[in-house]
């Protein structure tokens, strides 16, 4: 789910852009959650850095989009900002707030969809995170999102990934520290699982992308709570 804020004071343009977002969802398979604001002061008031993308008009009545973007950027360095405007002279100021792009009014669906493509590409690149693990004869770089689970077996770590298994040295506690705030949960002494891949929990086992992994009896309730929190987070 991509969380989008649309900041536009013109009702006709708001309807048009909302229609473009619906069309893009159908054509791309992406899912959007869209919040609508009619002025820059509305989005900046109590801004909580909970958007992935902001589509922002520049010329608005109470607070212009450039001022709003400056205030947002002071609080949120990650959100992607695209300006929608009929005043291209603001381009240079846009660099100061790390705006990804501009769309000039009147907006065509083709131009709009191209900018959304770019925005999603930037978001994907920012979300990708890697860890480096020691292997026999060197090191291996792993995409965290593609690690299904980590297993300890005979004092050796096995990273089960989409591309196969990677054998490494170290402890499960070290792997847990390396993965940091990613959505991994330690479900027992031997397993650290990526909640993204968990399909179900059945008794003392969880089904993880077709494989069965043992769950410690003392960790089962915490696992269910972590799964529930994760599902609530990704569905927002």
């Amino acid at each position: 789910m991509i969380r989008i804020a649309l900041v536009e004071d013109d009702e006709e343009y708001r309807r048009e852009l909302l229609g473009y977002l619906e069309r893009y969802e159908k054509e791309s398979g992406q899912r959007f959650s869209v919040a609508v604001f009619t002025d820059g002061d509305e989005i900046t008031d109590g801004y909580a850095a909970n958007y992935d993308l902001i589509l922002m008009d520049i010329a608005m009545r109470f607070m212009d989009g450039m001022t709003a973007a400056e205030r947002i950027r002071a609080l949120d360095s990650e959100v992607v900002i695209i300006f929608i405007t009929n005043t291209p002279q603001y381009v240079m100021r846009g660099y100061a707030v790390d705006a990804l792009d501009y769309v000039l009014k009147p907006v065509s669906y083709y131009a709009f969809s191209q900018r959304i493509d770019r925005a999603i590409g930037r978001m994907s690149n920012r979300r990708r995170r890697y860890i480096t693990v020691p292997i026999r004869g060197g090191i291996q770089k792993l995409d965290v999102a593609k690690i299904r689970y980590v297993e300890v077996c005979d004092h050796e770590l096995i990273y089960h990934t989409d591309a196969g298994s990677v054998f490494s040295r170290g402890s499960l506690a070290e792997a847990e520290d390396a993965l940091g705030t990613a959505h991994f949960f330690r479900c027992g002494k031997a397993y650290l699982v990526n909640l993204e891949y968990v399909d179900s929990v059945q008794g003392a086992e969880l089904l993880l992308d077709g494989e069965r992994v043992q769950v410690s009896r003392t960790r089962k309730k915490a696992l269910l709570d972590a799964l529930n929190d994760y599902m609530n987070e990704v569905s927002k």
Side-chain angles (χ1 to χ4, degrees), residues 1-8 14-15 17-25 30-37 43 50-55 112 116 235-236:
M1 179 74 73
I2 296 174
R3 299 161 297 177
I4 299 175
L6 173 60
V7 190
E8 171 60 69
R14 284 200 305 272
R15 287 200 304 266
L17 294 172
L18 288 169
Y20 284 173
L21 288 170
E22 290 178 7
R23 177 177 170 183
Y24 189 95
E25 279 186 293
Q30 296 285 348
R31 293 177 60 209
F32 297 148
S33 172
V34 184
V36 176
F37 302 90
I43 188 171
N50 53 1
Y51 299 108
D52 302 303
L53 169 63
I54 298 176
L55 303 170
F112 181 83
I116 299 298
S235 65
K236 289 178 181 177

Short mmCIF file of all heavy atoms in Angstrom, two decimals, residues 1-8 14-15 17-25 30-37 43 50-55 112 116 235-236:
data_model
loop_
_atom_site.label_atom_id
_atom_site.label_comp_id
_atom_site.label_asym_id
_atom_site.label_seq_id
_atom_site.Cartn_x
_atom_site.Cartn_y
_atom_site.Cartn_z
N MET A 1 0.84 -1.19 0.00
CA MET A 1 0.00 0.00 0.00
C MET A 1 0.87 1.25 0.00
O MET A 1 1.73 1.42 0.87
CB MET A 1 -0.91 0.00 1.23
CG MET A 1 -1.80 1.21 1.35
SD MET A 1 -3.19 1.18 0.19
CE MET A 1 -4.22 -0.09 0.94
N ILE A 2 0.67 2.13 -0.99
CA ILE A 2 1.41 3.38 -1.08
C ILE A 2 0.52 4.49 -0.54
O ILE A 2 -0.61 4.68 -1.01
CB ILE A 2 1.83 3.67 -2.52
CG1 ILE A 2 2.81 2.58 -3.01
CG2 ILE A 2 2.49 5.04 -2.63
CD1 ILE A 2 3.18 2.70 -4.47
N ARG A 3 1.01 5.23 0.42
CA ARG A 3 0.23 6.29 1.07
C ARG A 3 0.53 7.62 0.37
O ARG A 3 1.68 8.07 0.36
CB ARG A 3 0.58 6.35 2.55
CG ARG A 3 0.26 5.05 3.30
CD ARG A 3 1.00 4.97 4.61
NE ARG A 3 2.44 4.95 4.38
CZ ARG A 3 3.34 4.94 5.35
NH1 ARG A 3 2.96 4.95 6.62
NH2 ARG A 3 4.63 4.92 5.08
N ILE A 4 -0.50 8.23 -0.18
CA ILE A 4 -0.35 9.44 -0.99
C ILE A 4 -1.14 10.59 -0.36
O ILE A 4 -2.28 10.39 0.06
CB ILE A 4 -0.83 9.21 -2.43
CG1 ILE A 4 0.01 8.11 -3.10
CG2 ILE A 4 -0.77 10.50 -3.25
CD1 ILE A 4 -0.49 7.73 -4.48
N ALA A 5 -0.53 11.77 -0.34
CA ALA A 5 -1.25 12.99 0.03
C ALA A 5 -1.39 13.84 -1.24
O ALA A 5 -0.41 14.11 -1.92
CB ALA A 5 -0.49 13.76 1.09
N LEU A 6 -2.61 14.22 -1.55
CA LEU A 6 -2.89 15.10 -2.68
C LEU A 6 -3.27 16.47 -2.12
O LEU A 6 -4.27 16.60 -1.41
CB LEU A 6 -4.03 14.54 -3.53
CG LEU A 6 -4.57 15.44 -4.65
CD1 LEU A 6 -3.47 15.76 -5.66
CD2 LEU A 6 -5.75 14.77 -5.35
N VAL A 7 -2.46 17.49 -2.43
CA VAL A 7 -2.67 18.84 -1.90
C VAL A 7 -2.99 19.75 -3.09
O VAL A 7 -2.09 20.14 -3.85
CB VAL A 7 -1.43 19.35 -1.14
CG1 VAL A 7 -1.78 20.64 -0.38
CG2 VAL A 7 -0.90 18.29 -0.18
N GLU A 8 -4.27 20.08 -3.25
CA GLU A 8 -4.72 20.84 -4.43
C GLU A 8 -5.97 21.63 -4.05
O GLU A 8 -6.94 21.05 -3.55
CB GLU A 8 -5.01 19.88 -5.58
CG GLU A 8 -5.68 20.48 -6.79
CD GLU A 8 -4.89 21.57 -7.45
OE1 GLU A 8 -3.83 21.27 -8.04
OE2 GLU A 8 -5.34 22.73 -7.36
N ARG A 14 -8.55 18.44 -8.47
CA ARG A 14 -8.56 17.35 -7.49
C ARG A 14 -9.29 16.14 -8.04
O ARG A 14 -8.80 15.01 -7.94
CB ARG A 14 -9.23 17.80 -6.18
CG ARG A 14 -8.40 18.68 -5.29
CD ARG A 14 -8.90 18.68 -3.86
NE ARG A 14 -10.31 19.04 -3.75
CZ ARG A 14 -10.76 20.29 -3.63
NH1 ARG A 14 -9.90 21.30 -3.64
NH2 ARG A 14 -12.05 20.54 -3.50
N ARG A 15 -10.45 16.36 -8.63
CA ARG A 15 -11.22 15.25 -9.19
C ARG A 15 -10.44 14.57 -10.31
O ARG A 15 -10.42 13.34 -10.41
CB ARG A 15 -12.57 15.75 -9.71
CG ARG A 15 -13.57 16.10 -8.62
CD ARG A 15 -14.99 16.11 -9.18
NE ARG A 15 -15.10 17.01 -10.32
CZ ARG A 15 -15.50 18.28 -10.24
NH1 ARG A 15 -15.80 18.79 -9.05
NH2 ARG A 15 -15.59 19.03 -11.32
N LEU A 17 -7.14 14.47 -10.81
CA LEU A 17 -5.99 13.74 -10.31
C LEU A 17 -6.40 12.47 -9.55
O LEU A 17 -5.73 11.43 -9.65
CB LEU A 17 -5.14 14.64 -9.43
CG LEU A 17 -4.48 15.82 -10.17
CD1 LEU A 17 -3.82 16.77 -9.19
CD2 LEU A 17 -3.49 15.33 -11.21
N LEU A 18 -7.49 12.54 -8.81
CA LEU A 18 -8.00 11.34 -8.14
C LEU A 18 -8.41 10.29 -9.17
O LEU A 18 -8.17 9.08 -8.98
CB LEU A 18 -9.18 11.69 -7.23
CG LEU A 18 -8.84 12.45 -5.94
CD1 LEU A 18 -10.10 12.97 -5.27
CD2 LEU A 18 -8.05 11.56 -5.00
N GLY A 19 -9.00 10.74 -10.26
CA GLY A 19 -9.35 9.81 -11.34
C GLY A 19 -8.12 9.20 -11.97
O GLY A 19 -8.10 8.00 -12.29
N TYR A 20 -7.06 10.00 -12.14
CA TYR A 20 -5.80 9.47 -12.69
C TYR A 20 -5.20 8.41 -11.75
O TYR A 20 -4.68 7.39 -12.21
CB TYR A 20 -4.80 10.60 -12.88
CG TYR A 20 -5.04 11.50 -14.08
CD1 TYR A 20 -4.28 12.65 -14.27
CD2 TYR A 20 -6.04 11.22 -15.01
CE1 TYR A 20 -4.48 13.48 -15.37
CE2 TYR A 20 -6.26 12.04 -16.11
CZ TYR A 20 -5.47 13.17 -16.28
OH TYR A 20 -5.67 13.98 -17.36
N LEU A 21 -5.26 8.67 -10.44
CA LEU A 21 -4.71 7.70 -9.48
C LEU A 21 -5.50 6.38 -9.53
O LEU A 21 -4.91 5.30 -9.47
CB LEU A 21 -4.74 8.28 -8.07
CG LEU A 21 -3.71 9.39 -7.79
CD1 LEU A 21 -3.99 10.06 -6.46
CD2 LEU A 21 -2.29 8.82 -7.82
N GLU A 22 -6.82 6.47 -9.64
CA GLU A 22 -7.64 5.26 -9.75
C GLU A 22 -7.29 4.49 -11.02
O GLU A 22 -7.19 3.26 -11.01
CB GLU A 22 -9.12 5.63 -9.75
CG GLU A 22 -9.62 6.12 -8.41
CD GLU A 22 -11.10 6.51 -8.47
OE1 GLU A 22 -11.73 6.26 -9.52
OE2 GLU A 22 -11.61 7.05 -7.47
N ARG A 23 -7.13 5.21 -12.12
CA ARG A 23 -6.76 4.56 -13.38
C ARG A 23 -5.39 3.89 -13.28
O ARG A 23 -5.21 2.76 -13.74
CB ARG A 23 -6.77 5.59 -14.50
CG ARG A 23 -6.34 5.04 -15.86
CD ARG A 23 -6.45 6.11 -16.94
NE ARG A 23 -5.84 5.67 -18.18
CZ ARG A 23 -5.73 6.43 -19.27
NH1 ARG A 23 -6.21 7.67 -19.28
NH2 ARG A 23 -5.14 5.96 -20.36
N TYR A 24 -4.44 4.59 -12.64
CA TYR A 24 -3.09 4.03 -12.49
C TYR A 24 -3.14 2.75 -11.64
O TYR A 24 -2.45 1.77 -11.95
CB TYR A 24 -2.17 5.06 -11.85
CG TYR A 24 -0.71 4.65 -11.85
CD1 TYR A 24 0.15 5.05 -12.87
CD2 TYR A 24 -0.19 3.85 -10.84
CE1 TYR A 24 1.48 4.67 -12.88
CE2 TYR A 24 1.13 3.45 -10.84
CZ TYR A 24 1.96 3.88 -11.87
OH TYR A 24 3.29 3.48 -11.89
N GLU A 25 -3.94 2.76 -10.58
CA GLU A 25 -4.08 1.55 -9.75
C GLU A 25 -4.54 0.36 -10.59
O GLU A 25 -3.99 -0.74 -10.48
CB GLU A 25 -5.09 1.80 -8.63
CG GLU A 25 -4.58 2.53 -7.44
CD GLU A 25 -5.61 2.58 -6.33
OE1 GLU A 25 -6.65 3.25 -6.53
OE2 GLU A 25 -5.41 1.95 -5.29
N GLN A 30 -0.91 -1.51 -8.47
CA GLN A 30 -0.53 -0.89 -7.22
C GLN A 30 -1.78 -0.58 -6.40
O GLN A 30 -2.89 -0.47 -6.93
CB GLN A 30 0.22 0.42 -7.48
CG GLN A 30 1.55 0.26 -8.18
CD GLN A 30 2.64 -0.28 -7.25
OE1 GLN A 30 2.46 -0.34 -6.03
NE2 GLN A 30 3.76 -0.66 -7.83
N ARG A 31 -1.60 -0.44 -5.08
CA ARG A 31 -2.70 -0.05 -4.20
C ARG A 31 -2.33 1.26 -3.51
O ARG A 31 -1.24 1.39 -2.96
CB ARG A 31 -2.97 -1.13 -3.15
CG ARG A 31 -3.53 -2.42 -3.73
CD ARG A 31 -3.72 -3.45 -2.63
NE ARG A 31 -4.65 -2.98 -1.61
CZ ARG A 31 -4.59 -3.34 -0.33
NH1 ARG A 31 -3.64 -4.15 0.09
NH2 ARG A 31 -5.47 -2.88 0.54
N PHE A 32 -3.25 2.23 -3.57
CA PHE A 32 -3.02 3.54 -3.01
C PHE A 32 -3.99 3.81 -1.86
O PHE A 32 -5.15 3.41 -1.90
CB PHE A 32 -3.22 4.65 -4.06
CG PHE A 32 -2.26 4.59 -5.22
CD1 PHE A 32 -2.66 5.01 -6.48
CD2 PHE A 32 -0.96 4.13 -5.06
CE1 PHE A 32 -1.79 4.98 -7.55
CE2 PHE A 32 -0.08 4.09 -6.12
CZ PHE A 32 -0.50 4.52 -7.38
N SER A 33 -3.50 4.52 -0.87
CA SER A 33 -4.35 5.12 0.16
C SER A 33 -4.14 6.62 0.02
O SER A 33 -3.02 7.12 0.20
CB SER A 33 -3.93 4.65 1.56
OG SER A 33 -4.63 5.37 2.55
N VAL A 34 -5.21 7.38 -0.32
CA VAL A 34 -5.06 8.79 -0.69
C VAL A 34 -5.76 9.68 0.33
O VAL A 34 -6.95 9.49 0.62
CB VAL A 34 -5.63 9.06 -2.10
CG1 VAL A 34 -5.38 10.52 -2.49
CG2 VAL A 34 -5.01 8.12 -3.14
N ALA A 35 -5.02 10.64 0.86
CA ALA A 35 -5.58 11.69 1.72
C ALA A 35 -5.59 12.98 0.93
O ALA A 35 -4.61 13.30 0.25
CB ALA A 35 -4.76 11.83 3.00
N VAL A 36 -6.67 13.74 1.02
CA VAL A 36 -6.83 14.96 0.23
C VAL A 36 -6.78 16.18 1.13
O VAL A 36 -7.43 16.23 2.19
CB VAL A 36 -8.16 14.93 -0.56
CG1 VAL A 36 -8.37 16.24 -1.31
CG2 VAL A 36 -8.18 13.75 -1.53
N PHE A 37 -6.00 17.18 0.71
CA PHE A 37 -5.90 18.46 1.41
C PHE A 37 -6.15 19.58 0.41
O PHE A 37 -5.77 19.46 -0.76
CB PHE A 37 -4.52 18.62 2.05
CG PHE A 37 -4.16 17.53 3.02
CD1 PHE A 37 -3.50 16.39 2.58
CD2 PHE A 37 -4.48 17.64 4.35
CE1 PHE A 37 -3.16 15.37 3.46
CE2 PHE A 37 -4.15 16.62 5.25
CZ PHE A 37 -3.50 15.48 4.80
N ILE A 43 -1.94 20.31 5.33
CA ILE A 43 -1.06 19.14 5.44
C ILE A 43 0.07 19.38 6.44
O ILE A 43 0.53 18.44 7.09
CB ILE A 43 -0.50 18.72 4.07
CG1 ILE A 43 0.25 17.38 4.20
CG2 ILE A 43 0.39 19.80 3.45
CD1 ILE A 43 0.64 16.77 2.87
N ASN A 50 3.82 10.39 7.64
CA ASN A 50 3.22 9.08 7.38
C ASN A 50 2.76 8.92 5.93
O ASN A 50 1.87 8.13 5.65
CB ASN A 50 2.06 8.82 8.34
CG ASN A 50 1.04 9.94 8.33
OD1 ASN A 50 1.17 10.91 7.60
ND2 ASN A 50 0.02 9.81 9.16
N TYR A 51 3.40 9.66 5.01
CA TYR A 51 3.11 9.52 3.58
C TYR A 51 4.35 9.05 2.83
O TYR A 51 5.48 9.37 3.21
CB TYR A 51 2.61 10.84 2.99
CG TYR A 51 1.34 11.34 3.63
CD1 TYR A 51 1.38 12.44 4.49
CD2 TYR A 51 0.13 10.69 3.42
CE1 TYR A 51 0.21 12.89 5.10
CE2 TYR A 51 -1.03 11.14 4.03
CZ TYR A 51 -0.98 12.23 4.87
OH TYR A 51 -2.13 12.65 5.48
N ASP A 52 4.10 8.31 1.75
CA ASP A 52 5.19 7.91 0.86
C ASP A 52 5.39 8.91 -0.26
O ASP A 52 6.51 9.09 -0.75
CB ASP A 52 4.88 6.53 0.25
CG ASP A 52 4.67 5.46 1.29
OD1 ASP A 52 5.59 5.26 2.11
OD2 ASP A 52 3.60 4.84 1.32
N LEU A 53 4.29 9.55 -0.69
CA LEU A 53 4.32 10.46 -1.83
C LEU A 53 3.37 11.62 -1.58
O LEU A 53 2.24 11.41 -1.12
CB LEU A 53 3.89 9.71 -3.10
CG LEU A 53 3.60 10.52 -4.36
CD1 LEU A 53 4.84 11.24 -4.85
CD2 LEU A 53 3.04 9.60 -5.46
N ILE A 54 3.83 12.83 -1.88
CA ILE A 54 2.97 14.01 -1.80
C ILE A 54 2.90 14.65 -3.18
O ILE A 54 3.92 14.97 -3.79
CB ILE A 54 3.51 15.04 -0.78
CG1 ILE A 54 3.53 14.44 0.62
CG2 ILE A 54 2.64 16.31 -0.81
CD1 ILE A 54 4.13 15.34 1.67
N LEU A 55 1.68 14.81 -3.69
CA LEU A 55 1.41 15.52 -4.93
C LEU A 55 0.92 16.90 -4.53
O LEU A 55 -0.15 17.03 -3.93
CB LEU A 55 0.36 14.79 -5.76
CG LEU A 55 0.69 13.33 -6.12
CD1 LEU A 55 -0.53 12.64 -6.74
CD2 LEU A 55 1.87 13.29 -7.08
N PHE A 112 1.38 12.38 -16.10
CA PHE A 112 1.15 12.05 -14.69
C PHE A 112 1.64 10.65 -14.37
O PHE A 112 2.35 10.43 -13.38
CB PHE A 112 -0.35 12.18 -14.40
CG PHE A 112 -0.72 11.88 -12.97
CD1 PHE A 112 -0.60 12.85 -11.99
CD2 PHE A 112 -1.21 10.63 -12.62
CE1 PHE A 112 -0.95 12.59 -10.68
CE2 PHE A 112 -1.56 10.36 -11.31
CZ PHE A 112 -1.43 11.34 -10.34
N ILE A 116 4.49 9.20 -11.67
CA ILE A 116 4.19 8.22 -10.63
C ILE A 116 5.14 7.02 -10.76
O ILE A 116 5.61 6.47 -9.75
CB ILE A 116 2.72 7.76 -10.69
CG1 ILE A 116 1.78 8.95 -10.48
CG2 ILE A 116 2.45 6.68 -9.65
CD1 ILE A 116 1.91 9.62 -9.13
N SER A 235 -1.34 -2.80 6.03
CA SER A 235 -2.64 -2.54 5.44
C SER A 235 -3.06 -1.07 5.55
O SER A 235 -4.08 -0.68 5.01
CB SER A 235 -3.71 -3.40 6.11
OG SER A 235 -3.87 -3.06 7.48
N LYS A 236 -2.25 -0.25 6.19
CA LYS A 236 -2.60 1.16 6.36
C LYS A 236 -2.46 1.89 5.02
O LYS A 236 -1.59 1.58 4.23
CB LYS A 236 -1.71 1.82 7.41
CG LYS A 236 -2.02 1.37 8.84
CD LYS A 236 -1.08 2.02 9.82
CE LYS A 236 -1.37 1.56 11.23
NZ LYS A 236 -0.43 2.13 12.22
#
